PDB file of all heavy atoms in Angstrom:
ATOM      1  N   ASP A 843      98.616 105.228  93.554  1.00 58.00           N
ATOM      2  CA  ASP A 843      98.931 106.056  92.399  1.00 58.00           C
ATOM      3  C   ASP A 843     100.270 105.642  91.796  1.00 58.00           C
ATOM      4  O   ASP A 843     101.270 105.506  92.499  1.00 58.00           O
ATOM      5  CB  ASP A 843      98.984 107.525  92.832  1.00 58.00           C
ATOM      6  CG  ASP A 843      99.369 108.448  91.696  1.00 58.00           C
ATOM      7  OD1 ASP A 843      98.686 108.406  90.671  1.00 58.00           O
ATOM      8  OD2 ASP A 843     100.353 109.192  91.851  1.00 58.00           O
ATOM      9  N   ALA A 844     100.287 105.438  90.486  1.00 63.00           N
ATOM     10  CA  ALA A 844     101.509 104.995  89.810  1.00 63.00           C
ATOM     11  C   ALA A 844     102.594 106.053  89.849  1.00 63.00           C
ATOM     12  O   ALA A 844     103.789 105.738  89.809  1.00 63.00           O
ATOM     13  CB  ALA A 844     101.188 104.630  88.362  1.00 63.00           C
ATOM     14  N   HIS A 845     102.223 107.320  89.932  1.00 61.00           N
ATOM     15  CA  HIS A 845     103.200 108.409  89.910  1.00 61.00           C
ATOM     16  C   HIS A 845     103.950 108.506  91.241  1.00 61.00           C
ATOM     17  O   HIS A 845     105.161 108.692  91.268  1.00 61.00           O
ATOM     18  CB  HIS A 845     102.495 109.726  89.600  1.00 61.00           C
ATOM     19  CG  HIS A 845     103.402 110.918  89.566  1.00 61.00           C
ATOM     20  ND1 HIS A 845     104.238 111.189  88.517  1.00 61.00           N
ATOM     21  CD2 HIS A 845     103.606 111.905  90.481  1.00 61.00           C
ATOM     22  CE1 HIS A 845     104.910 112.289  88.762  1.00 61.00           C
ATOM     23  NE2 HIS A 845     104.541 112.744  89.956  1.00 61.00           N
ATOM     24  N   THR A 846     103.219 108.381  92.357  1.00 61.00           N
ATOM     25  CA  THR A 846     103.827 108.575  93.671  1.00 61.00           C
ATOM     26  C   THR A 846     104.026 107.275  94.444  1.00 61.00           C
ATOM     27  O   THR A 846     104.692 107.258  95.477  1.00 61.00           O
ATOM     28  CB  THR A 846     102.947 109.506  94.519  1.00 61.00           C
ATOM     29  OG1 THR A 846     101.644 108.907  94.652  1.00 61.00           O
ATOM     30  CG2 THR A 846     102.803 110.872  93.850  1.00 61.00           C
ATOM     31  N   ASN A 847     103.389 106.166  93.972  1.00 64.00           N
ATOM     32  CA  ASN A 847     103.457 104.857  94.629  1.00 64.00           C
ATOM     33  C   ASN A 847     102.846 104.882  96.031  1.00 64.00           C
ATOM     34  O   ASN A 847     103.221 104.095  96.892  1.00 64.00           O
ATOM     35  CB  ASN A 847     104.897 104.334  94.690  1.00 64.00           C
ATOM     36  CG  ASN A 847     104.938 102.824  94.836  1.00 64.00           C
ATOM     37  OD1 ASN A 847     104.086 102.110  94.311  1.00 64.00           O
ATOM     38  ND2 ASN A 847     105.913 102.318  95.566  1.00 64.00           N
ATOM     39  N   VAL A 848     101.931 105.775  96.267  1.00 60.00           N
ATOM     40  CA  VAL A 848     101.177 105.805  97.522  1.00 60.00           C
ATOM     41  C   VAL A 848      99.701 105.978  97.164  1.00 60.00           C
ATOM     42  O   VAL A 848      99.349 106.209  96.013  1.00 60.00           O
ATOM     43  CB  VAL A 848     101.643 106.948  98.462  1.00 60.00           C
ATOM     44  CG1 VAL A 848     103.060 106.694  98.953  1.00 60.00           C
ATOM     45  CG2 VAL A 848     101.539 108.300  97.778  1.00 60.00           C
ATOM     46  N   ASN A 849      98.857 105.897  98.171  1.00 59.00           N
ATOM     47  CA  ASN A 849      97.414 105.987  97.924  1.00 59.00           C
ATOM     48  C   ASN A 849      96.954 107.445  97.874  1.00 59.00           C
ATOM     49  O   ASN A 849      96.325 107.956  98.800  1.00 59.00           O
ATOM     50  CB  ASN A 849      96.639 105.218  98.997  1.00 59.00           C
ATOM     51  CG  ASN A 849      96.800 103.727  98.845  1.00 59.00           C
ATOM     52  OD1 ASN A 849      97.869 103.190  99.094  1.00 59.00           O
ATOM     53  ND2 ASN A 849      95.751 103.064  98.406  1.00 59.00           N
ATOM     54  N   ASN A 850      97.293 108.097  96.791  1.00 63.00           N
ATOM     55  CA  ASN A 850      96.769 109.446  96.592  1.00 63.00           C
ATOM     56  C   ASN A 850      96.649 109.747  95.109  1.00 63.00           C
ATOM     57  O   ASN A 850      97.168 109.028  94.268  1.00 63.00           O
ATOM     58  CB  ASN A 850      97.629 110.495  97.311  1.00 63.00           C
ATOM     59  CG  ASN A 850      99.024 110.630  96.710  1.00 63.00           C
ATOM     60  OD1 ASN A 850      99.265 110.354  95.540  1.00 63.00           O
ATOM     61  ND2 ASN A 850      99.963 111.098  97.525  1.00 63.00           N
ATOM     62  N   LYS A 851      95.923 110.796  94.818  1.00 61.00           N
ATOM     63  CA  LYS A 851      95.767 111.272  93.446  1.00 61.00           C
ATOM     64  C   LYS A 851      95.959 112.783  93.436  1.00 61.00           C
ATOM     65  O   LYS A 851      95.606 113.473  94.394  1.00 61.00           O
ATOM     66  CB  LYS A 851      94.388 110.908  92.889  1.00 61.00           C
ATOM     67  CG  LYS A 851      94.207 109.416  92.611  1.00 61.00           C
ATOM     68  CD  LYS A 851      92.872 109.142  91.945  1.00 61.00           C
ATOM     69  CE  LYS A 851      92.654 107.646  91.711  1.00 61.00           C
ATOM     70  NZ  LYS A 851      93.585 107.105  90.712  1.00 61.00           N
ATOM     71  N   ARG A 852      96.518 113.278  92.331  1.00 57.00           N
ATOM     72  CA  ARG A 852      96.720 114.719  92.181  1.00 57.00           C
ATOM     73  C   ARG A 852      95.426 115.326  91.625  1.00 57.00           C
ATOM     74  O   ARG A 852      94.971 114.954  90.551  1.00 57.00           O
ATOM     75  CB  ARG A 852      97.888 114.981  91.231  1.00 57.00           C
ATOM     76  CG  ARG A 852      99.226 114.437  91.751  1.00 57.00           C
ATOM     77  CD  ARG A 852     100.249 114.319  90.632  1.00 57.00           C
ATOM     78  NE  ARG A 852      99.856 113.281  89.670  1.00 57.00           N
ATOM     79  CZ  ARG A 852     100.527 113.028  88.543  1.00 57.00           C
ATOM     80  NH1 ARG A 852     101.610 113.729  88.238  1.00 57.00           N
ATOM     81  NH2 ARG A 852     100.120 112.082  87.710  1.00 57.00           N
ATOM     82  N   ILE A 853      94.861 116.257  92.370  1.00 60.00           N
ATOM     83  CA  ILE A 853      93.589 116.844  91.958  1.00 60.00           C
ATOM     84  C   ILE A 853      93.737 117.573  90.626  1.00 60.00           C
ATOM     85  O   ILE A 853      92.845 117.518  89.777  1.00 60.00           O
ATOM     86  CB  ILE A 853      93.050 117.782  93.060  1.00 60.00           C
ATOM     87  CG1 ILE A 853      92.634 116.938  94.278  1.00 60.00           C
ATOM     88  CG2 ILE A 853      91.866 118.613  92.560  1.00 60.00           C
ATOM     89  CD1 ILE A 853      92.191 117.739  95.473  1.00 60.00           C
ATOM     90  N   CYS A 854      94.866 118.231  90.410  1.00 54.00           N
ATOM     91  CA  CYS A 854      95.031 118.997  89.169  1.00 54.00           C
ATOM     92  C   CYS A 854      95.258 118.107  87.959  1.00 54.00           C
ATOM     93  O   CYS A 854      94.984 118.508  86.832  1.00 54.00           O
ATOM     94  CB  CYS A 854      96.199 119.981  89.306  1.00 54.00           C
ATOM     95  SG  CYS A 854      97.829 119.203  89.374  1.00 54.00           S
ATOM     96  N   LYS A 855      95.759 116.901  88.166  1.00 57.00           N
ATOM     97  CA  LYS A 855      96.138 116.032  87.048  1.00 57.00           C
ATOM     98  C   LYS A 855      95.154 114.886  86.840  1.00 57.00           C
ATOM     99  O   LYS A 855      94.596 114.717  85.765  1.00 57.00           O
ATOM    100  CB  LYS A 855      97.539 115.460  87.296  1.00 57.00           C
ATOM    101  CG  LYS A 855      98.155 114.775  86.081  1.00 57.00           C
ATOM    102  CD  LYS A 855      98.606 115.767  85.040  1.00 57.00           C
ATOM    103  CE  LYS A 855      99.371 115.090  83.919  1.00 57.00           C
ATOM    104  NZ  LYS A 855      99.788 116.055  82.895  1.00 57.00           N
ATOM    105  N   GLU A 856      94.967 114.043  87.863  1.00 68.00           N
ATOM    106  CA  GLU A 856      93.993 112.951  87.753  1.00 68.00           C
ATOM    107  C   GLU A 856      92.565 113.475  87.897  1.00 68.00           C
ATOM    108  O   GLU A 856      91.612 112.863  87.433  1.00 68.00           O
ATOM    109  CB  GLU A 856      94.260 111.867  88.796  1.00 68.00           C
ATOM    110  CG  GLU A 856      95.433 110.952  88.485  1.00 68.00           C
ATOM    111  CD  GLU A 856      96.785 111.536  88.817  1.00 68.00           C
ATOM    112  OE1 GLU A 856      96.914 112.146  89.906  1.00 68.00           O
ATOM    113  OE2 GLU A 856      97.712 111.401  87.997  1.00 68.00           O
ATOM    114  N   GLY A 857      92.404 114.602  88.570  1.00 52.00           N
ATOM    115  CA  GLY A 857      91.113 115.249  88.733  1.00 52.00           C
ATOM    116  C   GLY A 857      91.023 116.442  87.805  1.00 52.00           C
ATOM    117  O   GLY A 857      91.658 116.437  86.759  1.00 52.00           O
ATOM    118  N   PRO A 858      90.266 117.469  88.156  1.00 83.00           N
ATOM    119  CA  PRO A 858      89.591 117.609  89.454  1.00 83.00           C
ATOM    120  C   PRO A 858      88.340 116.747  89.620  1.00 83.00           C
ATOM    121  O   PRO A 858      87.785 116.669  90.698  1.00 83.00           O
ATOM    122  CB  PRO A 858      89.216 119.102  89.473  1.00 83.00           C
ATOM    123  CG  PRO A 858      89.064 119.470  88.035  1.00 83.00           C
ATOM    124  CD  PRO A 858      90.085 118.654  87.299  1.00 83.00           C
ATOM    125  N   VAL A 859      87.910 116.080  88.526  1.00 91.00           N
ATOM    126  CA  VAL A 859      86.710 115.250  88.618  1.00 91.00           C
ATOM    127  C   VAL A 859      87.096 113.803  88.916  1.00 91.00           C
ATOM    128  O   VAL A 859      87.958 113.223  88.241  1.00 91.00           O
ATOM    129  CB  VAL A 859      85.892 115.308  87.314  1.00 91.00           C
ATOM    130  CG1 VAL A 859      84.687 114.373  87.397  1.00 91.00           C
ATOM    131  CG2 VAL A 859      85.438 116.732  87.024  1.00 91.00           C
ATOM    132  N   PHE A 860      86.464 113.242  89.936  1.00 88.00           N
ATOM    133  CA  PHE A 860      86.683 111.846  90.323  1.00 88.00           C
ATOM    134  C   PHE A 860      85.320 111.159  90.540  1.00 88.00           C
ATOM    135  O   PHE A 860      84.340 111.832  90.878  1.00 88.00           O
ATOM    136  CB  PHE A 860      87.461 111.739  91.628  1.00 88.00           C
ATOM    137  CG  PHE A 860      88.832 112.334  91.628  1.00 88.00           C
ATOM    138  CD1 PHE A 860      89.044 113.622  92.094  1.00 88.00           C
ATOM    139  CD2 PHE A 860      89.917 111.597  91.144  1.00 88.00           C
ATOM    140  CE1 PHE A 860      90.326 114.165  92.096  1.00 88.00           C
ATOM    141  CE2 PHE A 860      91.193 112.139  91.151  1.00 88.00           C
ATOM    142  CZ  PHE A 860      91.396 113.421  91.626  1.00 88.00           C
ATOM    143  N   ARG A 861      85.319 109.839  90.398  1.00 89.00           N
ATOM    144  CA  ARG A 861      84.185 109.088  90.937  1.00 89.00           C
ATOM    145  C   ARG A 861      84.244 109.242  92.455  1.00 89.00           C
ATOM    146  O   ARG A 861      85.296 109.086  93.056  1.00 89.00           O
ATOM    147  CB  ARG A 861      84.274 107.618  90.560  1.00 89.00           C
ATOM    148  CG  ARG A 861      83.626 107.272  89.235  1.00 89.00           C
ATOM    149  CD  ARG A 861      83.576 105.765  89.050  1.00 89.00           C
ATOM    150  NE  ARG A 861      82.719 105.118  90.022  1.00 89.00           N
ATOM    151  CZ  ARG A 861      81.563 104.545  89.746  1.00 89.00           C
ATOM    152  NH1 ARG A 861      81.111 104.537  88.509  1.00 89.00           N
ATOM    153  NH2 ARG A 861      80.842 103.974  90.679  1.00 89.00           N
ATOM    154  N   ALA A 862      83.125 109.530  93.064  1.00 90.00           N
ATOM    155  CA  ALA A 862      83.123 109.801  94.496  1.00 90.00           C
ATOM    156  C   ALA A 862      83.669 108.640  95.313  1.00 90.00           C
ATOM    157  O   ALA A 862      84.294 108.843  96.355  1.00 90.00           O
ATOM    158  CB  ALA A 862      81.717 110.156  94.963  1.00 90.00           C
ATOM    159  N   ASP A 863      83.455 107.416  94.834  1.00 89.00           N
ATOM    160  CA  ASP A 863      83.909 106.251  95.619  1.00 89.00           C
ATOM    161  C   ASP A 863      85.385 105.921  95.391  1.00 89.00           C
ATOM    162  O   ASP A 863      85.912 104.992  95.991  1.00 89.00           O
ATOM    163  CB  ASP A 863      83.049 105.017  95.325  1.00 89.00           C
ATOM    164  CG  ASP A 863      82.987 104.657  93.847  1.00 89.00           C
ATOM    165  OD1 ASP A 863      83.750 105.255  93.045  1.00 89.00           O
ATOM    166  OD2 ASP A 863      82.198 103.768  93.482  1.00 89.00           O
ATOM    167  N   GLU A 864      86.072 106.703  94.547  1.00 85.00           N
ATOM    168  CA  GLU A 864      87.500 106.474  94.297  1.00 85.00           C
ATOM    169  C   GLU A 864      88.399 107.241  95.250  1.00 85.00           C
ATOM    170  O   GLU A 864      89.571 106.918  95.393  1.00 85.00           O
ATOM    171  CB  GLU A 864      87.859 106.897  92.869  1.00 85.00           C
ATOM    172  CG  GLU A 864      87.270 106.015  91.788  1.00 85.00           C
ATOM    173  CD  GLU A 864      87.619 106.516  90.397  1.00 85.00           C
ATOM    174  OE1 GLU A 864      88.086 107.668  90.287  1.00 85.00           O
ATOM    175  OE2 GLU A 864      87.430 105.751  89.444  1.00 85.00           O
ATOM    176  N   VAL A 865      87.858 108.287  95.874  1.00 80.00           N
ATOM    177  CA  VAL A 865      88.694 109.181  96.685  1.00 80.00           C
ATOM    178  C   VAL A 865      88.071 109.395  98.053  1.00 80.00           C
ATOM    179  O   VAL A 865      86.865 109.246  98.262  1.00 80.00           O
ATOM    180  CB  VAL A 865      88.895 110.545  95.971  1.00 80.00           C
ATOM    181  CG1 VAL A 865      89.789 110.381  94.761  1.00 80.00           C
ATOM    182  CG2 VAL A 865      87.552 111.156  95.582  1.00 80.00           C
ATOM    183  N   GLU A 866      88.939 109.767  98.997  1.00 76.00           N
ATOM    184  CA  GLU A 866      88.514 110.094 100.346  1.00 76.00           C
ATOM    185  C   GLU A 866      88.715 111.586 100.559  1.00 76.00           C
ATOM    186  O   GLU A 866      89.756 112.134 100.225  1.00 76.00           O
ATOM    187  CB  GLU A 866      89.336 109.300 101.385  1.00 76.00           C
ATOM    188  CG  GLU A 866      89.252 107.795 101.235  1.00 76.00           C
ATOM    189  CD  GLU A 866      87.864 107.233 101.495  1.00 76.00           C
ATOM    190  OE1 GLU A 866      87.079 107.921 102.172  1.00 76.00           O
ATOM    191  OE2 GLU A 866      87.573 106.124 101.020  1.00 76.00           O
ATOM    192  N   PHE A 867      87.705 112.242 101.112  1.00 75.00           N
ATOM    193  CA  PHE A 867      87.844 113.682 101.359  1.00 75.00           C
ATOM    194  C   PHE A 867      86.932 114.094 102.500  1.00 75.00           C
ATOM    195  O   PHE A 867      86.086 113.341 102.930  1.00 75.00           O
ATOM    196  CB  PHE A 867      87.520 114.496 100.097  1.00 75.00           C
ATOM    197  CG  PHE A 867      86.231 114.133  99.422  1.00 75.00           C
ATOM    198  CD1 PHE A 867      85.038 114.736  99.825  1.00 75.00           C
ATOM    199  CD2 PHE A 867      86.196 113.203  98.391  1.00 75.00           C
ATOM    200  CE1 PHE A 867      83.844 114.425  99.193  1.00 75.00           C
ATOM    201  CE2 PHE A 867      85.005 112.884  97.751  1.00 75.00           C
ATOM    202  CZ  PHE A 867      83.830 113.501  98.164  1.00 75.00           C
TER     203      PHE A 867
END
């Protein structure tokens, strides 16, 4: 993630909808 420089995404901002293969849950 460009915002945090780690492998995560903010659900409220980049989500809440994601391609299923883009995220781990």
Side-chain angles (χ1 to χ4, degrees):
D843 177 56
H845 179 76
T846 59
N847 203 34
V848 293
N849 289 70
N850 67 26
K851 289 185 182 293
R852 297 162 293 175
I853 291 175
C854 70
K855 192 74 173 179
E856 284 80 43
V859 177
F860 299 96
R861 271 189 65 111
D863 55 9
E864 291 178 346
V865 290
E866 302 295 339
F867 50 87

